[in-house]
Amino acid sequence: MDVKSAANMQQQLDMKNASFTTSFDYGDKATVSYTYYSLRHLPYTVLMDISITAKKDISINAASVMEAPDALKEVQNYYNEIDRPHVVISLLTSTAKSPTGKLLMCASNTFLFSEKHGEEPRVIHEMWDNNMHLMKFVKKIKAGETYRFSIAGSSITSAHHDDPLNEAERATIFAKLEGRDRLLQFHKNAWEDLWKSDIIIEGDAQTQQDIHSMMYHLYSFTREGTALSPSPMGLSGLGYNGHVFWDTELWMYPALLVLHPGLAKSLVEYRYQRLDAAKRNAFSKGFKGAMFPWESAEKGVEETPVWALSGPFEHHITACVGIAAWNYYCVSQDKNWLREKGWPILSATADFWASRVERNGPGKYDINNVVAADEWAENVDNNAFTNAAAKANLVYATEAAKVLGITPDADWMNVANNIPVLKMDNGVTKEHAAYNGEGIKQADVNLLSYPLKEITDPKQMRKDLEYYETRVPNEGTPAMTQAVFTTLYARLGDPDKAFHWFQDAYVPNLNPPFRVIAETKGGTNPYFSTGAGGILQSVLMGFGGLEITAKGITQIKASLPKQWKSLTLTGVGIEKRTFIVK
């Protein structure tokens, strides 16, 4: 089969049931359709469902090919047949070392036939070279008949299991003996549960589809009951090396937290399990407590390339982690979790900030020599976001101690009350000590109004908005900045301006045909899950008015753009509440 022989090709992403289908006509011989399912209930297993409708009598030669990428090392190929009285299982398996040699990567697959046992096609194995082998079968189909078969495959590495080779084969055998129908039913049930937490926009079908796409991707990139956390590009590719940044805690996490606290819990668990590494990182820099790395991976050590100054200097990530831990308690109201896992994170991050400030007198507990949230500002003093986030971290650690009946370190509030937030002569909040009106890469000062709530006066919020919205270049900057503008204007009761920034946040970043988000306007590197998280926050916390407080999720006054008739938020928080804005 070649490309020239395929016509009328169509592709469809079913976000409700999480399936991706391709169909085409193969000349005058057949119509072919195949659907991928990354099975939600089986984290290491995928199902591919294939159907072929013959236009004339044909014979198909179908193969499952396993080929290792050239970057992998020490490739080993295996083929096994397990013959039982009720089933024959053909297992095509390969293993290889990762490019660094640190991980063993294993994959295995098998056919699922629709025929009764004993009537299914005979499977033949072929070895092509060291990197590639396959298993295949032949089947005759009469004109007008449809033949269906499936392939179940599992992939796992030594990062997730001590015996990945055998476990990959076990997982594939499990899928084979569950059978296609049960696999699909459990998969669809899992996604049905996820979509009980939904955002429903009445009156704007295109925005509704776009928002569902963002939710679908964030739901796809996270999983309850793990200690895994998404990178800026989620699972869509190798962008940012799959590392975890502040993109998780500040941008993706809040939307997940209000919609699915169980998913969000996995992201905090990722940080908790790397708390010791963060403490070692603080010690190596001469600080106390825990200092989380700017780029984190499996071990929780600093993974930022040496040439990037954000590694040793973008310290606000530590406050982002502490704030995320507090917010999980706020939404869950789980004191046992707070005591066991939240408190260790909050207290250690608060200790870091108490040691990080330079005590130069009342109101001058300075945080000097940092990379700002606006990353074009490198090695600056008293960055607005860093300072305000540190203050919030210290306050929340103190509040957590009170909830748990623990006496907080009195120095935490002393430090918080003396960290400065600078102002310019015109009354605008100053991004950092040397800031003089330069263009900014991304939101910084405006984050003090949301989500930090350091600035609550509407006049000051608007003053800062109107100043910094003119400092963001129209191209080359990441998508989430405009989402913050959206949230703030919606909260200020200016839905028209909020909707302008809402569309500016992502529409110029969309790539056809599935309207997936790139990091920047006109960019071609989707999927930018950081931007999706920011935009979802602008709907939930901006137009929807949701607010995370110490007592749980509440709703403040919200205003909708004239393009929307209503906004309904379902399955919110632990109690799965519904909020409606009209």
Side-chain angles (χ1 to χ4, degrees), residues 157-194:
T157 77
S158 53
H160 304 108
H161 199 279
D162 293 338
D163 182 14
L165 170 57
N166 287 319
E167 187 63 15
E169 293 193 330
R170 291 188 196 102
T172 301
I173 292 169
F174 180 83
K176 164 84 171 182
L177 294 179
E178 279 285 88
R180 170 189 178 274
D181 292 345
R182 282 172 59 82
L183 291 174
L184 291 182
Q185 188 59 57
F186 286 129
H187 170 76
K188 290 178 180 179
N189 289 348
W191 272 95
E192 185 178 322
D193 285 341
L194 284 172

mmCIF file of all heavy atoms in Angstrom, residues 157-194:
data_model
loop_
_atom_site.group_PDB
_atom_site.id
_atom_site.type_symbol
_atom_site.label_atom_id
_atom_site.label_comp_id
_atom_site.label_asym_id
_atom_site.label_seq_id
_atom_site.Cartn_x
_atom_site.Cartn_y
_atom_site.Cartn_z
ATOM 1 N N THR A 157 9.173 1.461 31.026
ATOM 2 C CA THR A 157 10.617 1.588 31.216
ATOM 3 C C THR A 157 10.995 1.242 32.652
ATOM 4 O O THR A 157 10.147 1.095 33.530
ATOM 5 C CB THR A 157 11.102 3.022 30.913
ATOM 6 O OG1 THR A 157 10.765 3.874 32.024
ATOM 7 C CG2 THR A 157 10.474 3.569 29.639
ATOM 8 N N SER A 158 12.288 1.156 32.868
ATOM 9 C CA SER A 158 12.787 0.845 34.207
ATOM 10 C C SER A 158 12.560 1.979 35.183
ATOM 11 O O SER A 158 12.755 1.810 36.388
ATOM 12 C CB SER A 158 14.281 0.494 34.144
ATOM 13 O OG SER A 158 15.020 1.511 33.489
ATOM 14 N N ALA A 159 12.118 3.145 34.699
ATOM 15 C CA ALA A 159 11.740 4.226 35.612
ATOM 16 C C ALA A 159 10.431 3.918 36.315
ATOM 17 O O ALA A 159 10.150 4.475 37.376
ATOM 18 C CB ALA A 159 11.619 5.543 34.846
ATOM 19 N N HIS A 160 9.634 3.016 35.724
ATOM 20 C CA HIS A 160 8.310 2.737 36.272
ATOM 21 C C HIS A 160 8.157 1.318 36.786
ATOM 22 O O HIS A 160 7.163 1.006 37.439
ATOM 23 C CB HIS A 160 7.253 3.002 35.192
ATOM 24 C CG HIS A 160 7.310 4.390 34.636
ATOM 25 N ND1 HIS A 160 7.772 4.676 33.384
ATOM 26 C CD2 HIS A 160 6.979 5.577 35.196
ATOM 27 C CE1 HIS A 160 7.721 5.982 33.180
ATOM 28 N NE2 HIS A 160 7.242 6.542 34.265
ATOM 29 N N HIS A 161 9.102 0.450 36.470
ATOM 30 C CA HIS A 161 8.998 -0.932 36.929
ATOM 31 C C HIS A 161 10.396 -1.543 36.980
ATOM 32 O O HIS A 161 11.234 -1.272 36.112
ATOM 33 C CB HIS A 161 8.091 -1.748 35.993
ATOM 34 C CG HIS A 161 7.577 -3.014 36.599
ATOM 35 N ND1 HIS A 161 8.329 -4.167 36.651
ATOM 36 C CD2 HIS A 161 6.393 -3.315 37.179
ATOM 37 C CE1 HIS A 161 7.626 -5.125 37.228
ATOM 38 N NE2 HIS A 161 6.438 -4.625 37.567
ATOM 39 N N ASP A 162 10.637 -2.387 37.984
ATOM 40 C CA ASP A 162 11.955 -2.995 38.130
ATOM 41 C C ASP A 162 12.230 -4.056 37.076
ATOM 42 O O ASP A 162 13.389 -4.410 36.834
ATOM 43 C CB ASP A 162 12.097 -3.618 39.528
ATOM 44 C CG ASP A 162 12.116 -2.575 40.627
ATOM 45 O OD1 ASP A 162 12.433 -1.403 40.315
ATOM 46 O OD2 ASP A 162 11.805 -2.913 41.781
ATOM 47 N N ASP A 163 11.181 -4.582 36.471
ATOM 48 C CA ASP A 163 11.328 -5.646 35.468
ATOM 49 C C ASP A 163 10.507 -5.276 34.238
ATOM 50 O O ASP A 163 9.491 -5.906 33.938
ATOM 51 C CB ASP A 163 10.853 -6.983 36.067
ATOM 52 C CG ASP A 163 11.010 -8.155 35.126
ATOM 53 O OD1 ASP A 163 11.731 -8.009 34.101
ATOM 54 O OD2 ASP A 163 10.417 -9.217 35.389
ATOM 55 N N PRO A 164 10.922 -4.247 33.498
ATOM 56 C CA PRO A 164 10.069 -3.724 32.423
ATOM 57 C C PRO A 164 9.844 -4.697 31.275
ATOM 58 O O PRO A 164 8.783 -4.654 30.645
ATOM 59 C CB PRO A 164 10.810 -2.469 31.963
ATOM 60 C CG PRO A 164 12.232 -2.691 32.368
ATOM 61 C CD PRO A 164 12.173 -3.474 33.640
ATOM 62 N N LEU A 165 10.801 -5.564 30.972
ATOM 63 C CA LEU A 165 10.616 -6.501 29.871
ATOM 64 C C LEU A 165 9.445 -7.437 30.135
ATOM 65 O O LEU A 165 8.501 -7.528 29.328
ATOM 66 C CB LEU A 165 11.900 -7.306 29.650
ATOM 67 C CG LEU A 165 11.787 -8.500 28.687
ATOM 68 C CD1 LEU A 165 11.294 -8.055 27.317
ATOM 69 C CD2 LEU A 165 13.118 -9.220 28.573
ATOM 70 N N ASN A 166 9.473 -8.124 31.247
ATOM 71 C CA ASN A 166 8.388 -9.047 31.549
ATOM 72 C C ASN A 166 7.077 -8.314 31.811
ATOM 73 O O ASN A 166 5.997 -8.806 31.460
ATOM 74 C CB ASN A 166 8.749 -9.927 32.742
ATOM 75 C CG ASN A 166 9.798 -10.971 32.384
ATOM 76 O OD1 ASN A 166 9.739 -11.572 31.311
ATOM 77 N ND2 ASN A 166 10.765 -11.180 33.259
ATOM 78 N N GLU A 167 7.158 -7.132 32.412
ATOM 79 C CA GLU A 167 5.932 -6.393 32.714
ATOM 80 C C GLU A 167 5.252 -5.901 31.440
ATOM 81 O O GLU A 167 4.021 -5.881 31.351
ATOM 82 C CB GLU A 167 6.235 -5.221 33.644
ATOM 83 C CG GLU A 167 5.000 -4.494 34.153
ATOM 84 C CD GLU A 167 4.089 -5.355 35.012
ATOM 85 O OE1 GLU A 167 4.524 -6.445 35.469
ATOM 86 O OE2 GLU A 167 2.927 -4.954 35.221
ATOM 87 N N ALA A 168 6.039 -5.495 30.433
ATOM 88 C CA ALA A 168 5.448 -5.087 29.164
ATOM 89 C C ALA A 168 4.696 -6.251 28.525
ATOM 90 O O ALA A 168 3.585 -6.073 27.991
ATOM 91 C CB ALA A 168 6.535 -4.567 28.218
ATOM 92 N N GLU A 169 5.266 -7.424 28.604
ATOM 93 C CA GLU A 169 4.590 -8.589 28.033
ATOM 94 C C GLU A 169 3.370 -8.975 28.863
ATOM 95 O O GLU A 169 2.322 -9.339 28.303
ATOM 96 C CB GLU A 169 5.565 -9.758 27.916
ATOM 97 C CG GLU A 169 6.665 -9.509 26.885
ATOM 98 C CD GLU A 169 7.440 -10.755 26.524
ATOM 99 O OE1 GLU A 169 7.578 -11.652 27.385
ATOM 100 O OE2 GLU A 169 7.916 -10.830 25.376
ATOM 101 N N ARG A 170 3.476 -8.885 30.179
ATOM 102 C CA ARG A 170 2.310 -9.175 31.028
ATOM 103 C C ARG A 170 1.162 -8.217 30.728
ATOM 104 O O ARG A 170 -0.007 -8.616 30.669
ATOM 105 C CB ARG A 170 2.686 -9.076 32.504
ATOM 106 C CG ARG A 170 3.623 -10.158 33.005
ATOM 107 C CD ARG A 170 3.771 -10.070 34.513
ATOM 108 N NE ARG A 170 4.930 -10.831 34.967
ATOM 109 C CZ ARG A 170 6.105 -10.289 35.303
ATOM 110 N NH1 ARG A 170 6.257 -8.972 35.238
ATOM 111 N NH2 ARG A 170 7.095 -11.048 35.694
ATOM 112 N N ALA A 171 1.492 -6.935 30.603
ATOM 113 C CA ALA A 171 0.447 -5.936 30.331
ATOM 114 C C ALA A 171 -0.231 -6.208 28.991
ATOM 115 O O ALA A 171 -1.454 -6.035 28.843
ATOM 116 C CB ALA A 171 1.059 -4.536 30.336
ATOM 117 N N THR A 172 0.538 -6.640 28.013
ATOM 118 C CA THR A 172 -0.025 -6.949 26.703
ATOM 119 C C THR A 172 -0.897 -8.196 26.760
ATOM 120 O O THR A 172 -1.981 -8.249 26.153
ATOM 121 C CB THR A 172 1.112 -7.127 25.680
ATOM 122 O OG1 THR A 172 1.872 -5.914 25.618
ATOM 123 C CG2 THR A 172 0.571 -7.443 24.298
ATOM 124 N N ILE A 173 -0.436 -9.196 27.490
ATOM 125 C CA ILE A 173 -1.246 -10.412 27.670
ATOM 126 C C ILE A 173 -2.560 -10.072 28.374
ATOM 127 O O ILE A 173 -3.635 -10.568 28.006
ATOM 128 C CB ILE A 173 -0.461 -11.473 28.458
ATOM 129 C CG1 ILE A 173 0.719 -11.985 27.623
ATOM 130 C CG2 ILE A 173 -1.359 -12.637 28.879
ATOM 131 C CD1 ILE A 173 1.692 -12.832 28.407
ATOM 132 N N PHE A 174 -2.483 -9.221 29.387
ATOM 133 C CA PHE A 174 -3.691 -8.814 30.108
ATOM 134 C C PHE A 174 -4.696 -8.176 29.152
ATOM 135 O O PHE A 174 -5.888 -8.493 29.164
ATOM 136 C CB PHE A 174 -3.332 -7.850 31.234
ATOM 137 C CG PHE A 174 -4.524 -7.379 32.020
ATOM 138 C CD1 PHE A 174 -5.039 -8.152 33.040
ATOM 139 C CD2 PHE A 174 -5.132 -6.163 31.740
ATOM 140 C CE1 PHE A 174 -6.145 -7.726 33.767
ATOM 141 C CE2 PHE A 174 -6.238 -5.727 32.458
ATOM 142 C CZ PHE A 174 -6.741 -6.514 33.471
ATOM 143 N N ALA A 175 -4.197 -7.258 28.302
ATOM 144 C CA ALA A 175 -5.090 -6.598 27.341
ATOM 145 C C ALA A 175 -5.684 -7.596 26.369
ATOM 146 O O ALA A 175 -6.878 -7.533 26.041
ATOM 147 C CB ALA A 175 -4.315 -5.510 26.601
ATOM 148 N N LYS A 176 -4.864 -8.524 25.909
ATOM 149 C CA LYS A 176 -5.348 -9.539 24.965
ATOM 150 C C LYS A 176 -6.505 -10.333 25.566
ATOM 151 O O LYS A 176 -7.541 -10.558 24.920
ATOM 152 C CB LYS A 176 -4.193 -10.476 24.609
ATOM 153 C CG LYS A 176 -4.573 -11.794 23.950
ATOM 154 C CD LYS A 176 -4.761 -11.671 22.477
ATOM 155 C CE LYS A 176 -4.926 -13.040 21.826
ATOM 156 N NZ LYS A 176 -5.055 -12.944 20.365
ATOM 157 N N LEU A 177 -6.353 -10.747 26.817
ATOM 158 C CA LEU A 177 -7.362 -11.612 27.413
ATOM 159 C C LEU A 177 -8.543 -10.832 28.003
ATOM 160 O O LEU A 177 -9.586 -11.418 28.276
ATOM 161 C CB LEU A 177 -6.716 -12.518 28.462
ATOM 162 C CG LEU A 177 -5.724 -13.538 27.870
ATOM 163 C CD1 LEU A 177 -5.104 -14.399 28.955
ATOM 164 C CD2 LEU A 177 -6.411 -14.412 26.838
ATOM 165 N N GLU A 178 -8.384 -9.532 28.200
ATOM 166 C CA GLU A 178 -9.552 -8.711 28.502
ATOM 167 C C GLU A 178 -10.461 -8.631 27.279
ATOM 168 O O GLU A 178 -11.681 -8.623 27.391
ATOM 169 C CB GLU A 178 -9.123 -7.301 28.911
ATOM 170 C CG GLU A 178 -8.689 -7.167 30.355
ATOM 171 C CD GLU A 178 -9.871 -7.174 31.299
ATOM 172 O OE1 GLU A 178 -10.276 -8.283 31.702
ATOM 173 O OE2 GLU A 178 -10.387 -6.100 31.642
ATOM 174 N N GLY A 179 -9.847 -8.540 26.111
ATOM 175 C CA GLY A 179 -10.606 -8.470 24.881
ATOM 176 C C GLY A 179 -10.963 -7.046 24.496
ATOM 177 O O GLY A 179 -11.057 -6.148 25.337
ATOM 178 N N ARG A 180 -11.179 -6.836 23.215
ATOM 179 C CA ARG A 180 -11.428 -5.503 22.675
ATOM 180 C C ARG A 180 -12.607 -4.809 23.331
ATOM 181 O O ARG A 180 -12.520 -3.645 23.746
ATOM 182 C CB ARG A 180 -11.664 -5.611 21.166
ATOM 183 C CG ARG A 180 -12.179 -4.338 20.524
ATOM 184 C CD ARG A 180 -12.589 -4.579 19.086
ATOM 185 N NE ARG A 180 -13.134 -3.375 18.475
ATOM 186 C CZ ARG A 180 -14.403 -2.987 18.545
ATOM 187 N NH1 ARG A 180 -15.292 -3.730 19.230
ATOM 188 N NH2 ARG A 180 -14.812 -1.871 17.950
ATOM 189 N N ASP A 181 -13.719 -5.489 23.448
ATOM 190 C CA ASP A 181 -14.939 -4.839 23.930
ATOM 191 C C ASP A 181 -14.803 -4.375 25.372
ATOM 192 O O ASP A 181 -15.228 -3.268 25.727
ATOM 193 C CB ASP A 181 -16.134 -5.782 23.788
ATOM 194 C CG ASP A 181 -16.492 -6.043 22.331
ATOM 195 O OD1 ASP A 181 -16.018 -5.289 21.462
ATOM 196 O OD2 ASP A 181 -17.229 -7.010 22.068
ATOM 197 N N ARG A 182 -14.211 -5.208 26.218
ATOM 198 C CA ARG A 182 -14.026 -4.805 27.623
ATOM 199 C C ARG A 182 -13.022 -3.664 27.729
ATOM 200 O O ARG A 182 -13.217 -2.720 28.508
ATOM 201 C CB ARG A 182 -13.576 -6.002 28.465
ATOM 202 C CG ARG A 182 -14.706 -6.952 28.817
ATOM 203 C CD ARG A 182 -14.181 -8.217 29.491
ATOM 204 N NE ARG A 182 -13.445 -7.952 30.719
ATOM 205 C CZ ARG A 182 -14.006 -7.745 31.911
ATOM 206 N NH1 ARG A 182 -15.336 -7.751 32.033
ATOM 207 N NH2 ARG A 182 -13.269 -7.538 32.982
ATOM 208 N N LEU A 183 -11.954 -3.715 26.963
ATOM 209 C CA LEU A 183 -10.973 -2.634 26.982
ATOM 210 C C LEU A 183 -11.623 -1.304 26.627
ATOM 211 O O LEU A 183 -11.412 -0.285 27.300
ATOM 212 C CB LEU A 183 -9.831 -2.929 26.009
ATOM 213 C CG LEU A 183 -8.889 -4.076 26.366
ATOM 214 C CD1 LEU A 183 -7.908 -4.317 25.223
ATOM 215 C CD2 LEU A 183 -8.131 -3.806 27.660
ATOM 216 N N LEU A 184 -12.426 -1.299 25.570
ATOM 217 C CA LEU A 184 -13.055 -0.055 25.139
ATOM 218 C C LEU A 184 -14.105 0.421 26.138
ATOM 219 O O LEU A 184 -14.250 1.632 26.359
ATOM 220 C CB LEU A 184 -13.684 -0.239 23.756
ATOM 221 C CG LEU A 184 -12.693 -0.421 22.608
ATOM 222 C CD1 LEU A 184 -13.431 -0.546 21.281
ATOM 223 C CD2 LEU A 184 -11.710 0.743 22.543
ATOM 224 N N GLN A 185 -14.824 -0.506 26.755
ATOM 225 C CA GLN A 185 -15.848 -0.094 27.714
ATOM 226 C C GLN A 185 -15.228 0.562 28.940
ATOM 227 O O GLN A 185 -15.670 1.619 29.399
ATOM 228 C CB GLN A 185 -16.695 -1.295 28.140
ATOM 229 C CG GLN A 185 -17.903 -0.905 28.987
ATOM 230 C CD GLN A 185 -18.827 0.051 28.252
ATOM 231 O OE1 GLN A 185 -19.312 -0.248 27.163
ATOM 232 N NE2 GLN A 185 -19.073 1.216 28.834
ATOM 233 N N PHE A 186 -14.169 -0.045 29.476
ATOM 234 C CA PHE A 186 -13.494 0.538 30.639
ATOM 235 C C PHE A 186 -12.859 1.886 30.285
ATOM 236 O O PHE A 186 -12.867 2.826 31.094
ATOM 237 C CB PHE A 186 -12.439 -0.418 31.191
ATOM 238 C CG PHE A 186 -13.020 -1.593 31.927
ATOM 239 C CD1 PHE A 186 -12.627 -2.891 31.613
ATOM 240 C CD2 PHE A 186 -13.956 -1.427 32.937
ATOM 241 C CE1 PHE A 186 -13.155 -3.980 32.286
ATOM 242 C CE2 PHE A 186 -14.490 -2.502 33.616
ATOM 243 C CZ PHE A 186 -14.091 -3.791 33.284
ATOM 244 N N HIS A 187 -12.286 1.976 29.096
ATOM 245 C CA HIS A 187 -11.691 3.233 28.632
ATOM 246 C C HIS A 187 -12.753 4.339 28.552
ATOM 247 O O HIS A 187 -12.561 5.449 29.066
ATOM 248 C CB HIS A 187 -11.057 3.002 27.265
ATOM 249 C CG HIS A 187 -10.613 4.240 26.557
ATOM 250 N ND1 HIS A 187 -9.471 4.926 26.908
ATOM 251 C CD2 HIS A 187 -11.172 4.937 25.518
ATOM 252 C CE1 HIS A 187 -9.338 5.983 26.121
ATOM 253 N NE2 HIS A 187 -10.353 6.009 25.268
ATOM 254 N N LYS A 188 -13.882 4.024 27.939
ATOM 255 C CA LYS A 188 -14.951 5.020 27.794
ATOM 256 C C LYS A 188 -15.549 5.394 29.147
ATOM 257 O O LYS A 188 -15.882 6.559 29.386
ATOM 258 C CB LYS A 188 -16.024 4.488 26.852
ATOM 259 C CG LYS A 188 -15.556 4.403 25.404
ATOM 260 C CD LYS A 188 -16.623 3.825 24.487
ATOM 261 C CE LYS A 188 -16.128 3.761 23.043
ATOM 262 N NZ LYS A 188 -17.129 3.172 22.131
ATOM 263 N N ASN A 189 -15.660 4.426 30.051
ATOM 264 C CA ASN A 189 -16.167 4.735 31.395
ATOM 265 C C ASN A 189 -15.248 5.709 32.119
ATOM 266 O O ASN A 189 -15.709 6.632 32.808
ATOM 267 C CB ASN A 189 -16.300 3.449 32.215
ATOM 268 C CG ASN A 189 -17.434 2.557 31.739
ATOM 269 O OD1 ASN A 189 -18.268 2.968 30.949
ATOM 270 N ND2 ASN A 189 -17.439 1.317 32.207
ATOM 271 N N ALA A 190 -13.942 5.502 31.976
ATOM 272 C CA ALA A 190 -12.974 6.377 32.650
ATOM 273 C C ALA A 190 -13.083 7.802 32.122
ATOM 274 O O ALA A 190 -13.042 8.773 32.889
ATOM 275 C CB ALA A 190 -11.554 5.836 32.458
ATOM 276 N N TRP A 191 -13.233 7.940 30.803
ATOM 277 C CA TRP A 191 -13.352 9.285 30.239
ATOM 278 C C TRP A 191 -14.699 9.921 30.554
ATOM 279 O O TRP A 191 -14.798 11.142 30.723
ATOM 280 C CB TRP A 191 -13.095 9.250 28.734
ATOM 281 C CG TRP A 191 -11.634 9.402 28.463
ATOM 282 C CD1 TRP A 191 -10.719 8.399 28.256
ATOM 283 C CD2 TRP A 191 -10.897 10.631 28.425
ATOM 284 N NE1 TRP A 191 -9.463 8.934 28.090
ATOM 285 C CE2 TRP A 191 -9.540 10.298 28.176
ATOM 286 C CE3 TRP A 191 -11.249 11.969 28.560
ATOM 287 C CZ2 TRP A 191 -8.549 11.267 28.077
ATOM 288 C CZ3 TRP A 191 -10.255 12.934 28.457
ATOM 289 C CH2 TRP A 191 -8.928 12.589 28.222
ATOM 290 N N GLU A 192 -15.718 9.107 30.678
ATOM 291 C CA GLU A 192 -17.020 9.640 31.083
ATOM 292 C C GLU A 192 -16.935 10.259 32.471
ATOM 293 O O GLU A 192 -17.511 11.324 32.733
ATOM 294 C CB GLU A 192 -18.064 8.522 31.061
ATOM 295 C CG GLU A 192 -19.477 8.991 31.348
ATOM 296 C CD GLU A 192 -20.494 7.861 31.263
ATOM 297 O OE1 GLU A 192 -20.344 7.004 30.374
ATOM 298 O OE2 GLU A 192 -21.438 7.845 32.085
ATOM 299 N N ASP A 193 -16.194 9.620 33.361
ATOM 300 C CA ASP A 193 -15.996 10.171 34.706
ATOM 301 C C ASP A 193 -15.215 11.480 34.651
ATOM 302 O O ASP A 193 -15.529 12.437 35.375
ATOM 303 C CB ASP A 193 -15.268 9.163 35.595
ATOM 304 C CG ASP A 193 -16.166 8.026 36.046
ATOM 305 O OD1 ASP A 193 -17.401 8.177 35.986
ATOM 306 O OD2 ASP A 193 -15.634 6.970 36.454
ATOM 307 N N LEU A 194 -14.178 11.542 33.806
ATOM 308 C CA LEU A 194 -13.398 12.770 33.688
ATOM 309 C C LEU A 194 -14.269 13.930 33.212
ATOM 310 O O LEU A 194 -14.180 15.046 33.732
ATOM 311 C CB LEU A 194 -12.235 12.564 32.720
ATOM 312 C CG LEU A 194 -11.031 11.766 33.226
ATOM 313 C CD1 LEU A 194 -10.055 11.488 32.090
ATOM 314 C CD2 LEU A 194 -10.320 12.498 34.356
#
